[in-house]
C-alpha cells in the first residue's frame, strides 16, 4: 500500500469511503458517530487545503483516508477521568479514519506512516465505536480519559508514544 496527500480530485472517493465507513459503524451498533453529512466535502476540503489529508492506495485504488494533524488540538487541552501519558511533548492527532470494508491492514500501514512523522500520537473515538477501540488497543494505544469536542460530544481519548531508534 502507498500513502499520499489527498487532492481535490479525490473528493468523490473520500465521500464514498466515508459513507461506507458509516455503514460499517451502523452495522456494529455505532449509530451516532459521524451523524448526518459528517464528514462533509467541506471538512475534507479544509483538511486538503491544510495539507493534513491522506489517502491510502492499494494497486492504484484508494482504499482508505485519514487526517494527520499536528497538535496542539484544542479539544485535547482538558482531559477528564484520566490523564495523558505525556501532556507536554508535541503530538500528532489522527482524525477521520475511514476505509473500505474489504481492505485489511489499513490501521497498521497508517500508524507506521504517522510514526515516521512523530513518536507521539493521540486519537479519540466515540464510546460506541468498538471496532476502533479494539484496533487502538491492538496497536498499543493506552486509554487516557475523556475529552469533549467543540460541540460538546464526548470522546474516549488514547495516546501512544514510541521510542525512535
Amino acid at each position: 500500500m502507498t500513502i499520499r496527500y489527498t487532492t481535490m480530485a479525490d473528493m468523490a472517493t473520500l465521500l464514498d469511503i466515508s459513507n461506507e465507513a458509516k455503514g460499517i459503524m451502523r452495522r456494529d451498533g455505532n449509530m451516532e458517530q459521524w451523524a448526518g453529512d459528517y464528514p462533509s466535502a467541506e471538512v475534507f476540503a479544509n483538511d486538503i487545503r491544510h495539507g493534513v489529508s491522506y489517502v491510502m492506495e492499494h494497486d492504484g485504488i484508494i482504499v482508505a483516508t485519514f487526517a494527520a494533524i499536528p497538535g496542539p488540538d484544542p479539544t485535547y487541552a482538558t482531559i477528564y477521568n484520566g490523564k495523558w501519558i505525556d501532556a507536554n511533548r508535541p503530538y500528532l492527532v489522527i482524525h477521520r479514519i475511514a476505509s473500505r470494508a474489504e481492505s485489511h491492514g489499513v490501521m497498521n500501514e497508517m500508524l507506521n506512516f504517522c510514526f515516521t512523522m512523530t513518536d507521539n500520537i493521540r486519537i479519540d473515538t466515540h464510546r460506541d465505536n468498538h471496532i476502533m477501540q479494539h484496533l487502538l488497543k491492538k496497536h498499543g494505544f493506552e486509554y487516557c480519559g475523556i475529552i469533549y469536542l467543540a460541540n460538546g460530544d464526548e470522546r474516549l481519548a488514547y495516546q501512544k508514544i514510541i521510542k525512535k531508534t
Side-chain angles (χ1 to χ4, degrees), residues 70-77 91 93 95 124:
D73 183 320
T75 61
Y76 288 5
Y91 59 90
V93 179
H95 285 302
D124 64 83

Side-chain angles (χ1 to χ4, degrees), residues 16-150:
D16 188 49
I17 289 173
S18 70
N19 282 331
E20 189 170 336
K22 286 182 197 183
I24 294 167
M25 286 190 261
R26 300 304 175 263
R27 287 189 296 279
D28 192 56
N30 182 356
M31 307 309 280
E32 296 184 30
Q33 188 176 8
W34 289 13
D37 70 344
Y38 184 87
S40 66
E42 183 52 38
V43 169
F44 285 126
N46 190 49
D47 287 345
I48 294 166
R49 281 192 297 272
H50 286 95
V52 298
S53 181
Y54 298 87
V55 291
M56 188 178 300
E57 295 178 329
H58 181 73
D59 294 333
I61 308 278
I62 297 173
V63 297
T65 183
F66 63 94
I69 305 169
D73 183 320
T75 61
Y76 288 5
T78 304
I79 189 165
Y80 300 89
N81 301 326
K83 65 180 185 172
W84 296 112
I85 298 167
D86 185 321
N88 300 314
R89 67 195 299 173
Y91 59 90
L92 187 71
V93 179
I94 304 175
H95 285 302
R96 291 176 280 291
I97 303 166
S99 66
R100 299 276 186 202
E102 70 277 0
S103 58
H104 299 285
V106 167
M107 188 73 155
N108 191 58
E109 293 289 328
M110 179 196 63
L111 290 174
N112 286 340
F113 175 81
C114 289
F115 275 121
T116 67
M117 294 187 264
T118 185
D119 62 353
N120 184 6
I121 293 177
R122 295 181 184 182
I123 298 178
D124 64 83
T125 193
H126 194 280
R127 184 174 295 278
D128 292 338
N129 194 336
H130 304 293
I131 295 170
M132 183 58 68
Q133 291 171 48
H134 168 78
L135 287 169
L136 292 171
K137 290 174 189 167
K138 175 182 174 182
H139 290 280
F141 279 79
E142 293 183 39
Y143 171 75
C144 294
I146 296 171
I147 58 109
Y148 290 92
L149 304 179

